[in-house]
Amino acid sequence: MGRAAAAGGGAGGARRWLRWLGLCFWAAGAAAARGTDNGEALPESIPSAPGTLPHFIEEPDDAYIIKSNPIALRCKARPAMQIFFKCNGEWVHQNEHVSEESLDESSGLKVREVFINVTRQQVEDFHGPEDYWCQCVAWSHLGTSKSRKASVRIAYLRKNFEQDPQGREVPIEGMIVLHCRPPEGVPAAEVEWLKNEEPIDSEQDENIDTRADHNLIIRQARLSDSGNYTCMAANIVAKRRSLSATVVVYVNGGWSSWTEWSACNVRCGRGWQKRSRTCTNPAPLNGGAFCEGMSVQKITCTSLCPVDGSWEVWSEWSVCSPECEHLRIRECTAPPPRNGGKFCEGLSQESENCTDGLCILDKKPLHEIKPQSIENASDIALYSGLGAAVVAVAVLVIGVTLYRRSQSDYGVDVIDSSALTGGFQTFNFKTVHQGNSLLLNSSMQPDLTVSRTYSGPICLQDPLDKELMTESSLFNPLSDIKVKVQSSFMVSLGVSERAEYHGKNHSGTFPHGNNRSFSTMHPRNKTPYIQNMSSLPTRTELRTTGVFGHLGGRLVMPNTGVSLLIPHGAIPEENSWEIYMSINQGEPSLQSDGSEVLLSPEVTCGPPDMIVTTPFALTIPHCADVSSEHWNIHLKKRTQQGKWEEVMSVEDESTSCYCLLDPFACHVLLDSFGTYALTGEPITDCAVKQLKVAVFGCMSCNSLDYNLRVYCVDNTPWAFQEVVSDERHQGGQLLEEPKLLHFKGNTFSLQISILDIPPFLWRIKPFTACQEVPFSRVWCSNRQPLHCAFSLERYTPTTTQLSCKICIRQLKGHEQILQVQTSILESERETITFFAQEDSTFPAQTGPKAFKIPYSIRQRICATFDTPNAKGKDWQMLAQKNSINRNLSYFATQSSPSAVILNLWEARHQHDGDLDSLACALEEIGRTHTKLSNITESQLDEADFNYSRQNGL
């Protein structure tokens, strides 16, 4: 029984061994079969055996293939007899496995670790509904275990961001949100923000948040938050950088408190007072809006007129005092001084002796006292009288001597006597030609048989010959030639050869030779009259000079609109001066006060110690759209201490100087040289500055690039000349005729944009096609020429033509379009002239050639209109006909009002010289002639002869 049991037990153990060996052989056969046929599946489990299931110590992780580098997947299990990888549901070939076996010392169980490599090609060749995956399967005596599925993906990162951050302009304390969507990538990219190339750490700044879906949020903007922001995206493959976004935190301007009201501008009567405020609370920053509203308020005021005091009549004499005197008094009460008036001048008390010699002095009668003191007083009076007589005789002798010397040294009169006959004689030409200028000179021999009629402008010339003439030739230079003007006003022409004009003068010395523009200096006068300018400080400026004498002349600053007119006789006869004129090209020394704007260049004329006998005319260009309703324009002068003082307001009444404001220039009559400038104070938002806009172009170093530069400068020739000079140095080319832009003082900014660029020929950097300039920068642009640049790029070198538009506009204001049509090749480019060279040939003109009105005609006009007339046809009518209707009291203080009016006419008409308009004005006054239709030609000749006699000509 026991044997049977033992036999049975031995049989059972043998069967178990046989079964285990069978299983091992079966597994080996299955493995062999797997090696021969990859598609045959291994069993999911092995029949149970004593032990435990495999436990994975390490499972395969998700992996990314970078570029073409394979990745390794590993797994480790215990106890494990075998471990195989299954990828995408298929077993991996045994040869692709790398297996390592070890023994766990703590448990004594077998530990098996298996590696496989996965290549990029394997992943790319897989086309399944899910990602490429691999899984480990481990066997033990008890059964099998499966690991987690590990996915294998190809890593990448696209180049372009799905959304780049956009630039923003936000007010201070506003919220800033910059959006960023990184490029698509595997694995997903991580985002980091940079400010001015420095990483932003949101943990250190509670005001910044970068956690919200890759966006950058600044809760309250600060001035320090302005800068360039960049979004950085990175994963295991690469890093990508977005376009930079410019964030500008601006501050809108705020008004300060009003100042106190100023004192009334007049001492007596109705005037005005003003108060002001500045846009400094806070001042606009980073393009912030300028304060809205007016910076200056004006109200009317009435000042009580001062009343000067006046004396009452003297009182009666008082009773004679013991000192032999009696008194009388008076009071300043008729009327008393009021409102700042002057107190009465003189004594309020008067005393005199009241005894006629009967007064007792030291107990003696007055006639008994020795008259020693009286005799001394008589001697003093006698000697004083003799001294005064001697002084009077000496002064008389010196005066007579000086008078004789002046008569003996008196130079030759520069006025041709024949010029005085020129005046208003009647001439009569008849011809079919119209509209051409008539120029007569001595080289033209008159055809006494031809009769011609001219209706166009007539060029008048002043004869300068010094030949003695007979009485008949004096009053009839061309007795048989008549010029009939279209109007009934007749102008006679003196025919003579003009003096030769020399364009160059020697600086610091007198002109050589017998130039009739200068009188001869007497040898006894050792002091030179020409002032040397070498002592003046050198600075950045435009300058021109000329030597002028008694005949006067004109000094012009080429291409700047600045000129100086020295009238005939303003300089004494024996003197000559080197006069200079300059324009400050550096930083303006006149600093704007509040809302005040510099409207003109700073013009200096000198020498400052020169004295003129009649006012000279200074012409200064300006950029204001002239309107007394919107502008308050002032003339200012710089003192020797460098400070600027107001000379006068253009609308004020003054007898010290005169300002005549034309649309583009101001003509000033002055008595002293110095540095002058025009400033403007806007009264309303409708005040307009005239800006000149122009576009220049040039090639850059890269042959595919082309630069366009747009300038906005004050509409003065001087300001534009600076731009032209800079562009010439840079090789720039003017591409379009400059245009005029009316820029209002309404605090709105200026936009400059480029439009209609050919899309397949040219390209421009994104977000640079439109540029905005703050109002304050444009309104005060006299400090620096304002310009912006556009950089274009050709796609191919074969593109040689550029066509586009430049739009310059003020928000809620005027707009101008510059049409650019040019060739970038220099040989094909059309040249546009910068300036007309009409005033640059002769910057200094001296003598009669500098004036449009001949001197003889001028003398006749002055003699006619300076004389008062009962009908009111005097110099005031002449001023009115020449559009001079204001501040006539200035001309009334001049020795010859008509001469000063004609000087102002010369300054205003230096370029056109429209003598026909002057002739028509004189004819309208009706002073010179009656209507020609009622007078015969012989009567006209006789009337003109009698007119010359009556006026002493």
Side-chain angles (χ1 to χ4, degrees):
M1 186 73 177
R3 286 181 188 169
R15 283 195 297 270
R16 284 195 297 270
W17 266 113
L18 290 173
R19 184 178 179 184
W20 171 249
L21 291 173
L23 287 174
C24 290
F25 283 121
W26 179 84
R34 174 73 179 87
T36 57
D37 187 3
N38 195 37
E40 185 178 347
L42 293 176
E44 292 296 327
S45 64
I46 300 176
S48 299
T52 61
L53 289 174
H55 171 70
F56 284 97
I57 302 173
E58 181 179 352
E59 296 184 88
D61 294 325
D62 295 338
Y64 297 94
I65 296 176
I66 301 174
K67 297 183 179 179
S68 298
N69 300 323
I71 55 99
L73 297 178
R74 69 170 60 189
C75 63
K76 184 189 294 186
R78 69 181 178 188
M81 298 173 58
Q82 291 292 339
I83 298 177
F84 290 99
F85 272 94
K86 180 186 285 186
C87 293
N88 301 320
E90 297 183 357
W91 295 101
V92 179
H93 197 281
Q94 184 178 6
N95 294 338
E96 298 179 10
H97 289 75
V98 177
S99 178
E100 295 180 359
E101 187 174 330
S102 62
L103 185 65
D104 189 355
E105 296 178 357
S106 61
S107 62
L109 299 177
K110 277 187 179 180
V111 177
R112 185 175 294 275
E113 185 175 8
V114 178
F115 304 86
I116 67 170
N117 288 330
V118 179
T119 65
R120 182 184 183 97
Q121 188 64 41
Q122 289 175 326
V123 178
E124 289 179 345
D125 291 343
F126 173 70
H127 302 284
E130 54 185 353
D131 293 332
Y132 190 97
W133 59 269
C134 291
Q135 185 181 38
C136 285
V137 180
W139 282 270
S140 70
H141 296 287
L142 191 61
T144 62
S145 294
K146 294 181 181 180
S147 70
R148 66 178 291 276
K149 290 182 179 180
S151 63
V152 179
R153 305 175 68 185
I154 299 174
Y156 67 92
L157 185 62
R158 304 286 186 197
K159 290 186 177 181
N160 297 325
F161 278 72
E162 295 183 4
Q163 182 179 3
D164 286 298
Q166 302 295 318
R168 296 285 306 279
E169 292 185 2
V170 294
I172 194 168
E173 298 185 355
M175 177 178 284
I176 303 174
V177 179
L178 298 181
H179 298 279
C180 176
R181 293 175 60 189
E184 178 186 354
V186 174
E190 296 182 356
V191 171
E192 179 186 24
W193 284 92
L194 303 179
K195 176 191 174 184
N196 298 331
E197 306 303 324
E198 294 292 334
I200 297 176
D201 189 356
S202 59
E203 295 182 357
Q204 296 182 359
D205 192 345
E206 296 180 354
N207 194 38
I208 298 178
D209 185 7
T210 59
R211 297 170 296 178
D213 196 20
H214 308 309
N215 297 330
L216 174 66
I217 300 175
I218 302 177
R219 296 181 180 89
Q220 287 187 332
R222 302 155 296 192
L223 287 175
S224 59
D225 292 326
S226 297
N228 296 320
Y229 289 81
T230 308
C231 182
M232 295 289 295
N235 64 4
I236 59 176
V237 179
K239 289 185 178 180
R240 299 288 183 254
R241 181 188 180 98
S242 72
L243 296 176
S244 294
T246 301
V247 173
V248 177
V249 180
Y250 61 85
V251 179
N252 291 325
W255 288 114
S256 66
S257 300
W258 288 102
T259 62
E260 296 294 331
W261 288 104
S262 66
C264 200
N265 68 321
V266 295
R267 290 187 58 196
C268 175
R270 187 178 179 84
W272 54 264
Q273 56 185 152
K274 66 178 181 178
R275 65 175 183 174
S276 62
R277 57 181 178 174
T278 58
C279 189
T280 56
N281 186 31
L285 292 175
N286 298 336
F290 198 78
C291 303
E292 295 184 359
M294 295 307 302
S295 63
V296 178
Q297 283 185 345
K298 288 186 178 182
I299 59 174
T300 58
C301 58
T302 302
S303 298
L304 297 177
C305 295
V307 178
D308 295 337
S310 180
W311 292 112
E312 289 277 4
V313 297
W314 287 101
S315 66
E316 297 294 333
W317 289 102
S318 66
V319 178
C320 194
S321 68
E323 288 78 16
C324 306
E325 289 183 345
H326 59 177
L327 304 175
R328 65 174 180 176
I329 61 174
R330 57 179 178 175
E331 295 182 351
C332 187
T333 57
R338 295 194 303 269
N339 306 327
K342 296 180 181 179
F343 196 79
C344 303
E345 295 181 357
L347 299 176
S348 61
Q349 180 175 307
E350 193 175 62
S351 64
E352 67 178 17
N353 189 279
C354 57
T355 62
D356 294 330
L358 299 178
C359 186
I360 301 299
L361 185 60
D362 293 334
K363 299 181 180 181
K364 295 181 180 180
L366 188 63
H367 61 274
E368 294 181 3
I369 301 174
K370 295 182 180 180
Q372 181 180 359
S373 59
I374 299 176
E375 293 176 359
N376 294 336
S378 300
D379 293 340
I380 293 173
L382 176 62
Y383 295 144
S384 298
L386 291 176
V390 171
V391 171
V393 172
V395 170
L396 181 61
V397 171
I398 293 173
V400 172
T401 304
L402 291 177
Y403 176 77
R404 290 180 176 178
R405 288 184 178 180
S406 63
Q407 292 299 319
S408 62
D409 293 339
Y410 191 79
V412 181
D413 187 9
V414 296
I415 307 302
D416 188 358
S417 60
S418 64
L420 303 181
T421 67
F424 304 91
Q425 297 183 16
T426 31
F427 293 93
N428 202 1
F429 287 117
K430 294 182 180 179
T431 184
V432 296
H433 299 290
Q434 296 184 1
N436 296 324
S437 299
L438 178 63
L439 179 64
L440 298 179
N441 56 44
S442 61
S443 61
M444 300 172 57
Q445 298 298 328
D447 185 359
L448 305 182
T449 62
V450 179
S451 178
R452 300 180 180 178
T453 300
Y454 280 82
S455 60
I458 299 179
C459 180
L460 304 179
Q461 298 191 10
D462 190 23
L464 294 176
D465 290 342
K466 304 298 178 188
E467 300 175 359
L468 296 176
M469 307 180 73
T470 61
E471 184 180 22
S472 61
S473 63
L474 180 65
F475 293 98
N476 294 287
L478 294 174
S479 57
D480 295 331
I481 300 181
K482 311 293 180 185
V483 178
K484 183 176 182 181
V485 186
Q486 192 172 12
S487 64
S488 60
F489 172 69
M490 293 300 156
V491 181
S492 69
L493 302 179
V495 180
S496 175
E497 184 179 2
R498 300 183 67 93
E500 182 181 358
Y501 169 71
H502 299 280
K504 297 182 180 179
N505 291 325
H506 299 281
S507 176
T509 59
F510 288 103
H512 300 284
N514 296 326
N515 191 332
R516 280 180 282 185
S517 297
F518 300 90
S519 300
T520 305
M521 291 183 63
H522 197 271
R524 71 172 184 272
N525 190 356
K526 302 299 182 181
T527 305
Y529 286 86
I530 300 179
Q531 306 300 313
N532 197 341
M533 295 185 297
S534 60
S535 61
L536 294 176
T538 59
R539 50 182 286 187
T540 306
E541 59 185 14
L542 287 172
R543 180 184 290 268
T544 185
T545 63
V547 179
F548 298 87
H550 181 70
L551 296 183
R554 192 190 304 268
L555 189 61
V556 178
M557 188 78 70
N559 298 326
T560 62
V562 179
S563 64
L564 182 67
L565 183 76
I566 307 297
H568 184 284
I571 301 175
E573 283 197 18
E574 296 184 1
N575 294 1
S576 294
W577 289 84
E578 182 180 31
I579 298 177
Y580 62 87
M581 188 167 57
S582 64
I583 297 178
N584 179 20
Q585 287 185 292
E587 186 71 11
S589 60
L590 198 161
Q591 301 299 325
S592 298
D593 182 15
S595 60
E596 201 172 50
V597 181
L598 185 62
L599 299 176
S600 75
E602 297 176 3
V603 179
T604 301
C605 53
D609 56 344
M610 176 180 170
I611 299 176
V612 293
T613 58
T614 58
F616 61 89
L618 178 63
T619 299
I620 306 176
H622 65 82
C623 61
D625 192 355
V626 180
S627 173
S628 59
E629 299 177 357
H630 307 311
W631 281 105
N632 190 6
I633 298 177
H634 307 274
L635 175 69
K636 291 196 172 185
K637 180 180 180 181
R638 190 173 63 193
T639 63
Q640 294 181 353
Q641 292 75 24
K643 296 182 180 180
W644 287 85
E645 294 180 350
E646 181 176 337
V647 178
M648 67 174 295
S649 174
V650 173
E651 298 298 324
D652 287 347
E653 300 283 330
S654 173
T655 58
S656 60
C657 65
Y658 186 92
C659 289
L660 181 61
L661 201 63
D662 279 346
F664 299 101
C666 182
H667 310 282
V668 189
L669 295 175
L670 298 164
D671 293 322
S672 61
F673 290 90
T675 300
Y676 296 90
L678 292 174
T679 63
E681 188 177 10
I683 301 175
T684 68
D685 288 343
C686 296
V688 172
K689 273 185 66 175
Q690 295 177 344
L691 302 180
K692 182 170 289 186
V693 294
V695 57
F696 291 79
C698 69
M699 295 292 292
S700 65
C701 296
N702 185 354
S703 61
L704 293 180
D705 292 343
Y706 191 76
N707 294 326
L708 293 177
R709 290 186 291 275
V710 182
Y711 290 86
C712 298
V713 298
D714 292 348
N715 183 35
T716 58
W718 163 76
F720 189 58
Q721 187 186 32
E722 279 195 318
V723 172
V724 170
S725 177
D726 292 341
E727 282 295 325
R728 281 173 176 165
H729 285 92
Q730 300 179 32
Q733 175 74 27
L734 184 63
L735 302 181
E736 172 68 5
E737 193 74 19
K739 293 187 178 180
L740 205 61
L741 180 73
H742 298 282
F743 191 81
K744 290 185 177 181
N746 56 9
T747 73
F748 288 99
S749 57
L750 184 72
Q751 283 187 349
I752 305 174
S753 55
I754 184 169
L755 309 172
D756 299 343
I757 301 175
F760 301 105
L761 301 177
W762 295 85
R763 60 187 169 195
I764 189 172
K765 185 177 180 180
F767 311 112
T768 61
C770 181
Q771 304 182 32
E772 188 166 343
V773 185
F775 168 83
S776 57
R777 176 86 188 280
V778 183
W779 193 247
C780 301
S781 61
N782 56 285
R783 296 289 189 273
Q784 196 77 7
L786 174 66
H787 87 282
C788 65
F790 298 97
S791 181
L792 305 178
E793 183 181 3
R794 294 179 290 170
Y795 283 94
T796 63
T798 58
T799 302
T800 61
Q801 298 294 323
L802 173 60
S803 175
C804 63
K805 294 179 181 178
I806 303 293
C807 177
I808 304 100
R809 62 183 290 266
Q810 184 186 18
L811 299 179
K812 298 185 180 180
H814 191 212
E815 179 184 68
Q816 281 290 10
I817 300 291
L818 297 176
Q819 179 68 53
V820 177
Q821 183 74 41
T822 185
S823 171
I824 65 174
L825 298 181
E826 190 169 356
S827 58
E828 300 176 4
R829 190 180 301 151
E830 181 181 356
T831 301
I832 299 176
T833 305
F834 292 130
F835 295 104
Q837 301 296 326
E838 59 183 358
D839 60 353
S840 61
T841 305
F842 302 111
Q845 292 181 320
T846 59
K849 186 165 184 173
F851 303 97
K852 307 298 180 181
I853 306 174
Y855 185 70
S856 60
I857 304 297
R858 180 190 181 90
Q859 277 191 317
R860 285 177 176 268
I861 295 175
C862 294
T864 301
F865 291 98
D866 283 344
T867 305
N869 185 275
K871 297 181 180 180
K873 297 177 181 178
D874 53 6
W875 62 266
Q876 297 187 24
M877 184 71 71
L878 179 64
Q880 181 182 356
K881 291 300 181 181
N882 284 277
S883 303
I884 302 173
N885 303 313
R886 184 187 53 80
N887 196 13
L888 296 182
S889 58
Y890 172 82
F891 300 98
T893 61
Q894 305 298 322
S895 58
S896 175
S898 301
V900 179
I901 294 172
L902 294 180
N903 293 339
L904 194 58
W905 185 93
E906 290 277 1
R908 298 178 72 184
H909 298 83
Q910 62 174 316
H911 294 299
D912 53 21
D914 189 6
L915 289 172
D916 277 356
S917 64
L918 179 61
C920 291
L922 296 175
E923 189 249 325
E924 288 177 8
I925 296 175
R927 177 75 173 182
T928 309
H929 290 287
T930 58
K931 293 184 179 180
L932 292 179
S933 56
N934 300 326
I935 303 176
T936 62
E937 292 185 1
S938 60
Q939 289 174 329
L940 281 174
D941 290 339
E942 182 179 358
D944 188 67
F945 179 86
N946 293 332
Y947 172 80
S948 302
R949 288 290 194 182
Q950 291 171 3
N951 288 276
L953 302 180

